[in-house]
Amino acid sequence: MTIVKDTNSPLVVVVGGTGTQGGSVVLALSESDKSYRIRTFTRNTAKPSAIVLSERGVQVVGLSLTANNKEAVFAAFEGAAYVFVLTATFSSGKHFDPGRETAEGELMIDAAKAAGVKGIVWSGLPSMASLSHGKYTQVCHFESKVRVSEYGRASGVPFVVLQAGGYASNMRTIMRPRKVAPDVWAVSLPIAPSAPIPLIDVHHDYGLFVRRAIEATVFPDRQTWAVFAEMLSSEDQVRQLSEATGKKVVFNQITSAAFVAGMTAAGMPVHLAVAFDELFAAIGEFGYYTEDAVQLGNCLGRRVRTWRDYVQVQVWDDVFDA
Ligand SMILES: NC(=O)c1ccc[n+]([C@@H]2O[C@H](COP(=O)([O-])OP(=O)(O)OC[C@H]3O[C@@H](n4cnc5c(N)ncnc54)[C@H](OP(=O)(O)O)[C@@H]3O)[C@@H](O)[C@H]2O)c1
């Protein structure tokens, strides 16, 4: 455990420490042989994940990082050597507003700049509009982050963009297998079965990439890093899931219309359902990362989990008993 309160150790401000990416950043920093002070924020300091962080020595501040809290956001970043910044458009933030996401990302970059940090690690995503040469322009929760990336690069503060691939845990949420016949489950998505998708066990491994940036001899200013463990097609994912669980899981490529109808029926706002549909289409036709995205390989301090590793350590009863 290397989370300390000693002011000789650098302060890392981690946005979203109670969540998936930020929680992984705290985990990776705590595994380092270097010592850090860590500060994070939550809208609810009484939640169990906030209490656990506090008990592990993290400074947990009750604060909503929104544009109407500008002064408090600036104060919250004071003293930081490095910041990890993310925005949460549609996860536990649930505001579904890309314009708000961009504004909040830019506010945090302004706050980090005012604090005089040595580097900003930003959880960005690629532009599907650029990758597809203008064919897929509706992936709003990606484009909102692309605007923050541009703002950060123009800020003059050392700035690296980390672009996460698909979460392995999506197989328990948006990609969840549904029972289609006795003893048969199907994953149904609007993408070709053989199209490679970048995957990462975010909870376990995302923070290793952030730690790598913070501990680099020279901060990787202006770089974009591809954050994934492996590229794997949907048909290979369900095959390995079947092998690990002993359940028959198949992959169905469905139409855009069927996908959007299913997502909206499940309560997703239509603009997000369209965004996900275009995202799958764009990955299938154009891939995910641009050529300049740096792939780090085996220099992360420990091995990252493959999809096979992930499915083997998960308990899947809740998925297959449903
Ligand atoms: N799912 C995927 O495959 C995938 C892939 C790549 C990128 N992403 C991106 O990942 C991002 C979500 O990150 P995540 O998975 O780590 O989300 P998460 O697990 O839902 O956690 C969100 C974190 O943000 C904090 N937060 C949200 N709104 C806040 C606010 N107003 N003020 C202060 N803190 C706030 C939450 O804190 P409290 O709840 O404690 O307040 C929580 O710690 C999204 O932008 C998504 O686009 C997802």
Side-chain angles (χ1 to χ4, degrees):
M1 175 65 75
T2 54
I3 302 175
V4 296
K5 301 210 166 161
D6 168 12
T7 53
N8 291 320
S9 298
L11 173 66
V12 182
V13 161
V14 176
V15 175
T18 55
T20 315
Q21 292 187 9
S24 184
V25 174
V26 173
L27 174 70
L29 292 177
S30 72
E31 287 175 354
S32 174
D33 53 6
K34 296 185 168 52
S35 296
Y36 296 101
R37 285 179 292 144
I38 301 178
R39 180 186 298 153
T40 194
F41 315 101
T42 176
R43 292 160 294 176
N44 177 10
T45 52
K47 70 198 282 190
S49 52
I51 293 168
V52 168
L53 288 173
S54 226
E55 286 170 352
R56 291 171 61 198
V58 175
Q59 182 191 2
V60 180
V61 177
L63 173 64
S64 188
L65 296 156
T66 47
N68 57 359
N69 265 341
K70 184 176 172 186
E71 268 182 38
V73 174
F74 271 59
F77 281 39
E78 276 173 15
Y82 296 96
V83 294
F84 168 70
V85 177
L86 66 71
T87 45
T89 343
F90 62 90
S91 53
S92 57
K94 287 200 171 60
H95 58 66
F96 306 119
D97 178 349
R100 178 175 157 185
E101 175 170 43
T102 302
E104 289 176 358
E106 291 179 355
L107 170 64
M108 288 187 269
I109 287 166
D110 290 345
K113 182 172 181 171
V117 301
K118 295 182 196 168
I120 300 172
V121 183
W122 157 239
S123 175
L125 285 170
S127 170
M128 289 297 141
S130 299
L131 258 178
S132 68
H133 314 290
K135 183 170 179 185
Y136 295 111
T137 59
Q138 305 301 313
V139 190
C140 56
H141 57 303
F142 277 49
E143 302 307 327
S144 51
K145 293 180 178 73
V146 172
R147 289 191 285 277
V148 177
S149 301
E150 287 161 1
Y151 190 83
R153 284 199 191 96
S155 70
V157 182
F159 187 83
V160 62
V161 182
L162 269 55
Q163 297 179 338
Y167 291 11
S169 57
N170 288 347
M171 193 62 92
R172 311 181 67 82
T173 54
I174 187 174
M175 295 165 67
R176 194 178 179 90
R178 308 280 172 195
K179 197 166 196 168
V180 289
D183 299 324
V184 184
W185 287 261
V187 174
S188 303
L189 294 171
I191 187 169
S194 61
I197 300 176
L199 292 176
I200 176 159
D201 180 348
V202 170
H203 178 79
H204 193 254
D205 295 326
Y206 183 92
L208 294 178
F209 293 79
V210 177
R211 189 177 88 195
R212 171 81 185 167
I214 289 172
E215 295 184 350
T217 318
V218 178
F219 191 81
D221 184 24
R222 310 190 76 77
Q223 292 186 15
T224 296
W225 286 6
V227 175
F228 71 105
E230 65 179 326
M231 307 289 296
L232 203 64
S233 66
S234 299
E235 62 191 1
D236 285 341
Q237 287 177 53
V238 297
R239 182 177 50 75
Q240 292 185 20
L241 181 60
S242 292
E243 288 165 4
T245 59
K247 306 288 186 187
K248 183 170 183 187
V249 190
V250 297
F251 180 76
N252 280 338
Q253 181 176 2
I254 56 173
T255 63
S256 291
F259 177 77
V260 171
M263 288 293 123
T264 49
M268 185 179 278
V270 70
H271 71 285
L272 264 187
V274 169
F276 277 111
D277 173 56
E278 285 211 353
L279 175 60
F280 284 114
I283 295 172
E285 286 176 50
F286 299 97
Y288 192 82
Y289 290 118
T290 51
E291 277 179 13
D292 64 333
V294 177
Q295 301 195 9
L296 295 179
N298 293 325
C299 58
L300 290 164
R302 64 169 161 78
R303 188 176 158 274
V304 293
R305 274 185 183 157
T306 62
W307 171 248
R308 191 180 291 282
D309 296 333
Y310 174 82
V311 294
Q312 283 174 347
V313 298
Q314 287 296 306
V315 175
W316 293 95
D317 297 353
D318 59 316
V319 172
F320 294 113
D321 289 347

